[in-house]
Amino acid sequence: MPNSSSVSEFLLLAFADTRELQLLHFALFLGIYLAALLGNGLIITTVACDHNLHTPMYFFLLNLALLDLGCISTTLPKAMDNALWDNRAISYQGCAAQVLFFVFFFGSEYSILTIMAYDRYVAICKPLHYGSLLGSGTCAQMAAAAWGSGFLNAVLHTATTFSLPLCQGNSVDQFFCQIPQIVKLSCSDAYLKEVELLAFSFSFVFGCFVFIVVSYIQIFRAVQRIPSEQGRHKAFSTCLPHLAVVSLFVSTDMFAYLKPPSLSSPSLDLVVAVLYSVVPPAVNPLIYSMRNQDLKDALRRLMTRDVSKSKK
């Protein structure tokens, strides 16, 4: 019986069979990837270079942009390579690396989004304690905890998943390596260990979701108590981008993992995987920049400064 040691590569699910559609998918993904690189890169550069944005909110936004870049860079380059060269193969080591980094970036991003909800809660509900509760040292520790817990979670999942003996072939029914798809290839009851880990991870995700919901309930109550309409609008506008990003993140995940089995099909699963792994990293910079005047002003100052330097 073949096991994991006899599997040297996996075959990913192709987006299309015809060469024209493969090239179309390559061009589409290239455009999305470049947009994600540009948008997240601009946020990272702007926040890092503008001292007016050296606040907890923008510090966590910078972390979110870094994680978005990592997440989309884990899946899209290989998908584009396979579409361009009509090749479905990914090495065993490459598949393990893809699982490790995707779970790492994805889990860390969810933790950062939870911390950002706490940041908005303190800013609106406890503004007098904002500096003491979210000092620079505390923010760095919270970000390090998010990245560290995400990496530990990814290592545990990857080690458990790729220790399973595989006897159901090497075809992965997705355009990138996913833990559930790898587990399907297992021929041992040892996969129950990975199921237990997944259950623990889902419990953690659910706990974070409850925390975000409770935080926003408190935020909405506090906003309603603000006497002026302008004050309410200003307070709520700082929450809208984060709320939109969380809604996009959670809704795509819930549809991917909680949809009824009767709705499952290879083509639908493929579209859903693109929605939760590709769309949020590309759209998040747009969401944050559309209604954020401080970010727009900082980007304008950065571009004006660069133009002035180039003329000298």
Side-chain angles (χ1 to χ4, degrees), residues 24 33 37 40 44 46 52 54 60 103 114 117 169 190 194 198 202 212 228 265 268 282 287 308:
L24 179 62
Y33 188 55
L37 289 178
N40 287 290
I44 293 169
T46 304
N52 295 323
H54 289 182
F60 294 129
V103 175
T114 305
E194 176 55 33
L198 286 172
F202 280 124
I212 293 173
S228 68
S265 67
L268 179 61
I287 293 175
S308 299

Side-chain angles (χ1 to χ4, degrees), residues 55-196:
T55 63
M57 183 176 75
Y58 291 106
F59 171 73
F60 294 129
L61 178 58
L62 183 147
N63 279 266
L64 181 67
L66 287 170
L67 290 168
D68 277 337
L69 279 181
C71 191
I72 199 169
S73 296
T74 300
T75 58
L76 268 197
K78 183 58 181 175
M80 289 188 295
D81 176 76
N82 287 359
L84 181 62
W85 302 110
D86 191 17
N87 177 30
R88 294 173 52 201
I90 183 172
S91 67
Y92 184 89
Q93 293 79 9
C95 187
Q98 211 173 49
V99 168
L100 173 68
F101 285 112
F102 185 78
V103 175
F104 166 47
F105 290 124
F106 202 76
S108 300
E109 181 166 343
Y110 198 66
S111 297
I112 287 292
L113 287 172
T114 305
I115 294 172
M116 293 174 80
Y118 175 71
D119 167 73
R120 291 299 84 206
Y121 163 75
V122 175
I124 294 175
C125 299
K126 299 183 178 181
L128 298 179
H129 302 283
Y130 189 74
S132 58
L133 292 176
L134 287 169
S136 57
T138 303
C139 291
Q141 291 172 4
M142 294 170 75
W147 287 74
S149 60
F151 183 72
L152 178 61
N153 181 55
V155 169
L156 290 174
H157 278 294
T158 306
T160 303
T161 300
F162 286 89
S163 66
L164 299 175
L166 307 177
C167 63
Q168 304 293 332
N170 65 340
S171 295
V172 178
D173 292 333
Q174 197 48 266
F175 78 98
F176 66 98
C177 288
Q178 282 183 324
I179 289 176
Q181 302 299 334
I182 303 298
V183 170
K184 285 181 181 179
L185 305 178
S186 172
C187 54
S188 167
D189 290 337
Y191 77 91
L192 293 175
K193 294 181 180 178
E194 176 55 33
V195 172
E196 292 173 0

Side-chain angles (χ1 to χ4, degrees), residues 14-28 79-88:
F15 279 94
D17 297 327
T18 63
R19 189 60 184 149
E20 291 78 9
L21 286 177
Q22 288 173 346
L23 294 176
L24 179 62
H25 282 113
F26 168 77
L28 178 62
M80 289 188 295
D81 176 76
N82 287 359
L84 181 62
W85 302 110
D86 191 17
N87 177 30
R88 294 173 52 201

Side-chain angles (χ1 to χ4, degrees), residues 248-264:
L248 177 64
F249 193 87
V250 172
S251 61
T252 52
D253 289 352
M254 289 181 65
F255 186 74
Y257 292 104
L258 300 181
K259 67 180 184 298
S262 58
L263 292 179
S264 293

